[in-house]
Amino acid sequence: MERIFLKDKYFVPYIPYERIEKAIDEVAERINHDFRHFNGVPIVLCVLNGSILFTGELMKRLNFPCEFSSVRLSSYEGTLSTGITRKVLGLTSSIKGRTIIVVEDIVDTGKTITDLYALLRDAGAEEVKICTMLLKPDVYKKDLKLDYVAMEIENRFIVGFGLDYDQLGRNSKDIYILDKQASMKHYLIFGPPGAGKGTQAALLVERFGLRHVSTGDLLRREIAAGTPLGLQAKTLIDKGELVPDSVVEGMIASELEANPDVKGFIFDGFPRTTAQAEHLDALLAERGARIDAVLSLAIPDETVYERIRHRAEVENRVDDTKPEIIRNRIDNYHAKTEPVIAYYKGKGVYKEVDGLGTIDEVFNKLCALM
Ligand code: AMP
């Protein structure tokens, strides 16, 4: 099963058709068992639109006489503090004294199904049984007994097998789930070397629960581990040069893959070239995501220079020690990295703050932007 794209979002496979079929077999068997001695003809009531495929599959498996009807529930009209403000639409035959098997696609908070249950009882139904293909047990808040549940799922947005995203996806025979990456936030912390990106990123990570991805840190880790990639990178980093785009792009892709459950990412020291920015956009677009904001720390070159020299004493970074290397890094920033600003301005996500205040002052300004 492959990812699918609906309207503007990516969805990933969640429940394959074979599992859905098996769950329907089982639930149908239970209903057949319960109705084996039933005297009378129940009405199978399909709640449109989402339950259409499920009802069809279920009915094929029911082996006792039954009628079919379908309804829709009106959306809320006004808000009354007492009672239900919805109506059952499309019920053509009388249900007075009848036994109803309501067939739902999904029950989450239970609001719809409890309203429908009450409305059907009010309309004179003798007995109302509920059968749902899916239940989100973590969010179901009602006392109403759900007689037949085919499958339980976690609280995620799904489509397929009758369920839609903006009316699309109902015709998929498998069930898909919104790709988590699509709902994650993706930020860049941007600025010249020594602007305070690492410091601010660490604070933002703590405040917003994001994952910090610093390509500089990842490269230093490779160097410390003595990997071939690390050795190759070291010769460039020690001269104040950038490592090849493909190297850092590969690292970013691995970080995205390795962290499917985070709330979002803050990239630090990446992208450093327009080509890297384009690559990142493509990588995120594949996952239905995009850069939400570029948080840029603006500081003048002379401050950059002083800060890097100061950091050299604290962090013992070779690329921070020699004046000519620092100059080369600043030159590379202007030549290769600064054009990235125009790239993101063009996308309307570029936001800049004055990076010269105290750590707290800058942090507060960044928080306001997020
Ligand atoms: P940083 O810790 O971000 O200052 O990165 C230290 C060094 O790692 C840089 O001066 C570059 O040599 C290299 N580096 C880090 N990120 C990148 C990147 N996105 N593209 C190319 N080189 C990078």
PDB file of all heavy atoms in Angstrom, residues 24-45:
ATOM      1  N   ILE A  24     -15.324  -7.315   9.649  1.00  0.00           N
ATOM      2  CA  ILE A  24     -16.756  -7.324   9.291  1.00  0.00           C
ATOM      3  C   ILE A  24     -17.306  -8.749   9.390  1.00  0.00           C
ATOM      4  O   ILE A  24     -18.423  -8.960   9.875  1.00  0.00           O
ATOM      5  CB  ILE A  24     -16.993  -6.699   7.892  1.00  0.00           C
ATOM      6  CG1 ILE A  24     -16.485  -5.252   7.862  1.00  0.00           C
ATOM      7  CG2 ILE A  24     -18.487  -6.734   7.531  1.00  0.00           C
ATOM      8  CD1 ILE A  24     -16.560  -4.576   6.495  1.00  0.00           C
ATOM      9  N   ASP A  25     -16.517  -9.732   8.953  1.00  0.00           N
ATOM     10  CA  ASP A  25     -16.929 -11.141   9.110  1.00  0.00           C
ATOM     11  C   ASP A  25     -17.290 -11.418  10.573  1.00  0.00           C
ATOM     12  O   ASP A  25     -18.331 -11.990  10.873  1.00  0.00           O
ATOM     13  CB  ASP A  25     -15.764 -12.093   8.753  1.00  0.00           C
ATOM     14  CG  ASP A  25     -15.552 -12.201   7.249  1.00  0.00           C
ATOM     15  OD1 ASP A  25     -16.458 -11.818   6.498  1.00  0.00           O
ATOM     16  OD2 ASP A  25     -14.470 -12.671   6.849  1.00  0.00           O
ATOM     17  N   GLU A  26     -16.395 -10.987  11.447  1.00  0.00           N
ATOM     18  CA  GLU A  26     -16.578 -11.303  12.871  1.00  0.00           C
ATOM     19  C   GLU A  26     -17.797 -10.613  13.466  1.00  0.00           C
ATOM     20  O   GLU A  26     -18.579 -11.202  14.211  1.00  0.00           O
ATOM     21  CB  GLU A  26     -15.315 -10.912  13.658  1.00  0.00           C
ATOM     22  CG  GLU A  26     -14.187 -11.906  13.436  1.00  0.00           C
ATOM     23  CD  GLU A  26     -12.824 -11.372  13.876  1.00  0.00           C
ATOM     24  OE1 GLU A  26     -12.778 -10.295  14.519  1.00  0.00           O
ATOM     25  OE2 GLU A  26     -11.825 -12.032  13.557  1.00  0.00           O
ATOM     26  N   VAL A  27     -17.948  -9.327  13.124  1.00  0.00           N
ATOM     27  CA  VAL A  27     -19.067  -8.583  13.706  1.00  0.00           C
ATOM     28  C   VAL A  27     -20.396  -9.122  13.140  1.00  0.00           C
ATOM     29  O   VAL A  27     -21.394  -9.245  13.864  1.00  0.00           O
ATOM     30  CB  VAL A  27     -18.877  -7.055  13.533  1.00  0.00           C
ATOM     31  CG1 VAL A  27     -19.424  -6.520  12.234  1.00  0.00           C
ATOM     32  CG2 VAL A  27     -19.465  -6.298  14.696  1.00  0.00           C
ATOM     33  N   ALA A  28     -20.392  -9.502  11.855  1.00  0.00           N
ATOM     34  CA  ALA A  28     -21.613 -10.049  11.240  1.00  0.00           C
ATOM     35  C   ALA A  28     -21.984 -11.371  11.913  1.00  0.00           C
ATOM     36  O   ALA A  28     -23.170 -11.640  12.158  1.00  0.00           O
ATOM     37  CB  ALA A  28     -21.405 -10.247   9.736  1.00  0.00           C
ATOM     38  N   GLU A  29     -20.975 -12.143  12.223  1.00  0.00           N
ATOM     39  CA  GLU A  29     -21.220 -13.426  12.887  1.00  0.00           C
ATOM     40  C   GLU A  29     -21.894 -13.216  14.246  1.00  0.00           C
ATOM     41  O   GLU A  29     -22.825 -13.941  14.616  1.00  0.00           O
ATOM     42  CB  GLU A  29     -19.877 -14.129  13.083  1.00  0.00           C
ATOM     43  CG  GLU A  29     -19.958 -15.628  13.138  1.00  0.00           C
ATOM     44  CD  GLU A  29     -18.553 -16.214  13.132  1.00  0.00           C
ATOM     45  OE1 GLU A  29     -17.847 -16.058  12.121  1.00  0.00           O
ATOM     46  OE2 GLU A  29     -18.179 -16.787  14.164  1.00  0.00           O
ATOM     47  N   ARG A  30     -21.434 -12.204  14.956  1.00  0.00           N
ATOM     48  CA  ARG A  30     -22.042 -11.927  16.272  1.00  0.00           C
ATOM     49  C   ARG A  30     -23.494 -11.469  16.111  1.00  0.00           C
ATOM     50  O   ARG A  30     -24.370 -11.842  16.886  1.00  0.00           O
ATOM     51  CB  ARG A  30     -21.212 -10.885  17.024  1.00  0.00           C
ATOM     52  CG  ARG A  30     -19.925 -11.511  17.588  1.00  0.00           C
ATOM     53  CD  ARG A  30     -18.958 -10.474  18.122  1.00  0.00           C
ATOM     54  NE  ARG A  30     -19.624  -9.452  18.914  1.00  0.00           N
ATOM     55  CZ  ARG A  30     -19.250  -8.176  18.973  1.00  0.00           C
ATOM     56  NH1 ARG A  30     -18.214  -7.774  18.261  1.00  0.00           N
ATOM     57  NH2 ARG A  30     -19.905  -7.319  19.727  1.00  0.00           N
ATOM     58  N   ILE A  31     -23.746 -10.628  15.115  1.00  0.00           N
ATOM     59  CA  ILE A  31     -25.124 -10.157  14.902  1.00  0.00           C
ATOM     60  C   ILE A  31     -26.008 -11.342  14.503  1.00  0.00           C
ATOM     61  O   ILE A  31     -27.113 -11.520  15.028  1.00  0.00           O
ATOM     62  CB  ILE A  31     -25.175  -9.033  13.824  1.00  0.00           C
ATOM     63  CG1 ILE A  31     -24.331  -7.836  14.270  1.00  0.00           C
ATOM     64  CG2 ILE A  31     -26.617  -8.596  13.559  1.00  0.00           C
ATOM     65  CD1 ILE A  31     -24.188  -6.733  13.229  1.00  0.00           C
ATOM     66  N   ASN A  32     -25.510 -12.181  13.582  1.00  0.00           N
ATOM     67  CA  ASN A  32     -26.270 -13.369  13.163  1.00  0.00           C
ATOM     68  C   ASN A  32     -26.607 -14.247  14.364  1.00  0.00           C
ATOM     69  O   ASN A  32     -27.730 -14.745  14.489  1.00  0.00           O
ATOM     70  CB  ASN A  32     -25.467 -14.190  12.145  1.00  0.00           C
ATOM     71  CG  ASN A  32     -25.487 -13.537  10.770  1.00  0.00           C
ATOM     72  OD1 ASN A  32     -26.429 -12.811  10.440  1.00  0.00           O
ATOM     73  ND2 ASN A  32     -24.457 -13.776   9.980  1.00  0.00           N
ATOM     74  N   HIS A  33     -25.622 -14.392  15.244  1.00  0.00           N
ATOM     75  CA  HIS A  33     -25.831 -15.214  16.437  1.00  0.00           C
ATOM     76  C   HIS A  33     -26.950 -14.603  17.308  1.00  0.00           C
ATOM     77  O   HIS A  33     -27.885 -15.295  17.715  1.00  0.00           O
ATOM     78  CB  HIS A  33     -24.522 -15.306  17.224  1.00  0.00           C
ATOM     79  CG  HIS A  33     -24.643 -16.103  18.475  1.00  0.00           C
ATOM     80  ND1 HIS A  33     -24.555 -17.482  18.472  1.00  0.00           N
ATOM     81  CD2 HIS A  33     -24.878 -15.731  19.758  1.00  0.00           C
ATOM     82  CE1 HIS A  33     -24.711 -17.920  19.706  1.00  0.00           C
ATOM     83  NE2 HIS A  33     -24.921 -16.883  20.510  1.00  0.00           N
ATOM     84  N   ASP A  34     -26.860 -13.300  17.550  1.00  0.00           N
ATOM     85  CA  ASP A  34     -27.846 -12.637  18.424  1.00  0.00           C
ATOM     86  C   ASP A  34     -29.247 -12.634  17.819  1.00  0.00           C
ATOM     87  O   ASP A  34     -30.239 -12.603  18.536  1.00  0.00           O
ATOM     88  CB  ASP A  34     -27.419 -11.191  18.710  1.00  0.00           C
ATOM     89  CG  ASP A  34     -26.198 -11.128  19.612  1.00  0.00           C
ATOM     90  OD1 ASP A  34     -25.763 -12.195  20.099  1.00  0.00           O
ATOM     91  OD2 ASP A  34     -25.661 -10.012  19.813  1.00  0.00           O
ATOM     92  N   PHE A  35     -29.340 -12.614  16.488  1.00  0.00           N
ATOM     93  CA  PHE A  35     -30.657 -12.519  15.838  1.00  0.00           C
ATOM     94  C   PHE A  35     -31.190 -13.883  15.359  1.00  0.00           C
ATOM     95  O   PHE A  35     -32.185 -13.939  14.660  1.00  0.00           O
ATOM     96  CB  PHE A  35     -30.602 -11.518  14.665  1.00  0.00           C
ATOM     97  CG  PHE A  35     -30.719 -10.085  15.135  1.00  0.00           C
ATOM     98  CD1 PHE A  35     -29.622  -9.410  15.634  1.00  0.00           C
ATOM     99  CD2 PHE A  35     -31.948  -9.418  15.120  1.00  0.00           C
ATOM    100  CE1 PHE A  35     -29.719  -8.101  16.089  1.00  0.00           C
ATOM    101  CE2 PHE A  35     -32.059  -8.097  15.578  1.00  0.00           C
ATOM    102  CZ  PHE A  35     -30.941  -7.437  16.061  1.00  0.00           C
ATOM    103  N   ARG A  36     -30.487 -14.959  15.741  1.00  0.00           N
ATOM    104  CA  ARG A  36     -30.865 -16.260  15.166  1.00  0.00           C
ATOM    105  C   ARG A  36     -32.277 -16.683  15.558  1.00  0.00           C
ATOM    106  O   ARG A  36     -32.944 -17.388  14.822  1.00  0.00           O
ATOM    107  CB  ARG A  36     -29.826 -17.344  15.501  1.00  0.00           C
ATOM    108  CG  ARG A  36     -29.767 -17.747  16.975  1.00  0.00           C
ATOM    109  CD  ARG A  36     -28.468 -18.509  17.274  1.00  0.00           C
ATOM    110  NE  ARG A  36     -28.445 -18.995  18.651  1.00  0.00           N
ATOM    111  CZ  ARG A  36     -28.177 -18.230  19.714  1.00  0.00           C
ATOM    112  NH1 ARG A  36     -27.893 -16.942  19.558  1.00  0.00           N
ATOM    113  NH2 ARG A  36     -28.183 -18.750  20.916  1.00  0.00           N
ATOM    114  N   HIS A  37     -32.755 -16.247  16.740  1.00  0.00           N
ATOM    115  CA  HIS A  37     -34.111 -16.632  17.130  1.00  0.00           C
ATOM    116  C   HIS A  37     -35.081 -15.448  17.084  1.00  0.00           C
ATOM    117  O   HIS A  37     -36.143 -15.487  17.677  1.00  0.00           O
ATOM    118  CB  HIS A  37     -34.110 -17.195  18.564  1.00  0.00           C
ATOM    119  CG  HIS A  37     -33.212 -18.390  18.717  1.00  0.00           C
ATOM    120  ND1 HIS A  37     -33.274 -19.484  17.881  1.00  0.00           N
ATOM    121  CD2 HIS A  37     -32.224 -18.648  19.603  1.00  0.00           C
ATOM    122  CE1 HIS A  37     -32.350 -20.362  18.256  1.00  0.00           C
ATOM    123  NE2 HIS A  37     -31.698 -19.877  19.293  1.00  0.00           N
ATOM    124  N   PHE A  38     -34.656 -14.375  16.442  1.00  0.00           N
ATOM    125  CA  PHE A  38     -35.470 -13.153  16.463  1.00  0.00           C
ATOM    126  C   PHE A  38     -36.777 -13.357  15.680  1.00  0.00           C
ATOM    127  O   PHE A  38     -36.767 -13.824  14.547  1.00  0.00           O
ATOM    128  CB  PHE A  38     -34.653 -12.002  15.858  1.00  0.00           C
ATOM    129  CG  PHE A  38     -35.324 -10.662  15.968  1.00  0.00           C
ATOM    130  CD1 PHE A  38     -35.404 -10.005  17.193  1.00  0.00           C
ATOM    131  CD2 PHE A  38     -35.881 -10.041  14.843  1.00  0.00           C
ATOM    132  CE1 PHE A  38     -36.016  -8.754  17.294  1.00  0.00           C
ATOM    133  CE2 PHE A  38     -36.497  -8.801  14.946  1.00  0.00           C
ATOM    134  CZ  PHE A  38     -36.558  -8.153  16.177  1.00  0.00           C
ATOM    135  N   ASN A  39     -37.868 -12.978  16.328  1.00  0.00           N
ATOM    136  CA  ASN A  39     -39.177 -13.097  15.675  1.00  0.00           C
ATOM    137  C   ASN A  39     -39.552 -11.755  15.087  1.00  0.00           C
ATOM    138  O   ASN A  39     -39.964 -10.863  15.804  1.00  0.00           O
ATOM    139  CB  ASN A  39     -40.254 -13.499  16.701  1.00  0.00           C
ATOM    140  CG  ASN A  39     -40.251 -14.991  16.913  1.00  0.00           C
ATOM    141  OD1 ASN A  39     -39.939 -15.745  15.992  1.00  0.00           O
ATOM    142  ND2 ASN A  39     -40.584 -15.405  18.127  1.00  0.00           N
ATOM    143  N   GLY A  40     -39.417 -11.592  13.834  1.00  0.00           N
ATOM    144  CA  GLY A  40     -39.724 -10.299  13.227  1.00  0.00           C
ATOM    145  C   GLY A  40     -38.625  -9.930  12.254  1.00  0.00           C
ATOM    146  O   GLY A  40     -37.696 -10.706  12.022  1.00  0.00           O
ATOM    147  N   VAL A  41     -38.746  -8.724  11.710  1.00  0.00           N
ATOM    148  CA  VAL A  41     -37.781  -8.286  10.694  1.00  0.00           C
ATOM    149  C   VAL A  41     -37.161  -6.958  11.143  1.00  0.00           C
ATOM    150  O   VAL A  41     -37.843  -5.924  11.148  1.00  0.00           O
ATOM    151  CB  VAL A  41     -38.487  -8.121   9.323  1.00  0.00           C
ATOM    152  CG1 VAL A  41     -37.493  -7.641   8.265  1.00  0.00           C
ATOM    153  CG2 VAL A  41     -39.138  -9.426   8.907  1.00  0.00           C
ATOM    154  N   PRO A  42     -35.906  -6.957  11.518  1.00  0.00           N
ATOM    155  CA  PRO A  42     -35.275  -5.687  11.913  1.00  0.00           C
ATOM    156  C   PRO A  42     -34.964  -4.810  10.703  1.00  0.00           C
ATOM    157  O   PRO A  42     -34.884  -5.312   9.571  1.00  0.00           O
ATOM    158  CB  PRO A  42     -33.988  -6.136  12.604  1.00  0.00           C
ATOM    159  CG  PRO A  42     -33.688  -7.486  12.053  1.00  0.00           C
ATOM    160  CD  PRO A  42     -34.992  -8.109  11.654  1.00  0.00           C
ATOM    161  N   ILE A  43     -34.810  -3.527  10.972  1.00  0.00           N
ATOM    162  CA  ILE A  43     -34.408  -2.609   9.889  1.00  0.00           C
ATOM    163  C   ILE A  43     -32.921  -2.283  10.070  1.00  0.00           C
ATOM    164  O   ILE A  43     -32.511  -1.808  11.139  1.00  0.00           O
ATOM    165  CB  ILE A  43     -35.205  -1.287   9.941  1.00  0.00           C
ATOM    166  CG1 ILE A  43     -36.709  -1.560   9.843  1.00  0.00           C
ATOM    167  CG2 ILE A  43     -34.733  -0.330   8.854  1.00  0.00           C
ATOM    168  CD1 ILE A  43     -37.578  -0.312  10.080  1.00  0.00           C
ATOM    169  N   VAL A  44     -32.139  -2.571   9.039  1.00  0.00           N
ATOM    170  CA  VAL A  44     -30.735  -2.160   9.060  1.00  0.00           C
ATOM    171  C   VAL A  44     -30.710  -0.706   8.587  1.00  0.00           C
ATOM    172  O   VAL A  44     -31.159  -0.401   7.478  1.00  0.00           O
ATOM    173  CB  VAL A  44     -29.886  -3.050   8.131  1.00  0.00           C
ATOM    174  CG1 VAL A  44     -28.456  -2.525   8.041  1.00  0.00           C
ATOM    175  CG2 VAL A  44     -29.911  -4.497   8.622  1.00  0.00           C
ATOM    176  N   LEU A  45     -30.217   0.176   9.447  1.00  0.00           N
ATOM    177  CA  LEU A  45     -30.287   1.607   9.150  1.00  0.00           C
ATOM    178  C   LEU A  45     -28.894   2.178   8.905  1.00  0.00           C
ATOM    179  O   LEU A  45     -28.090   2.331   9.832  1.00  0.00           O
ATOM    180  CB  LEU A  45     -30.959   2.330  10.329  1.00  0.00           C
ATOM    181  CG  LEU A  45     -31.368   3.765  10.074  1.00  0.00           C
ATOM    182  CD1 LEU A  45     -32.492   3.829   9.051  1.00  0.00           C
ATOM    183  CD2 LEU A  45     -31.800   4.434  11.364  1.00  0.00           C
TER     184      LEU A  45
END
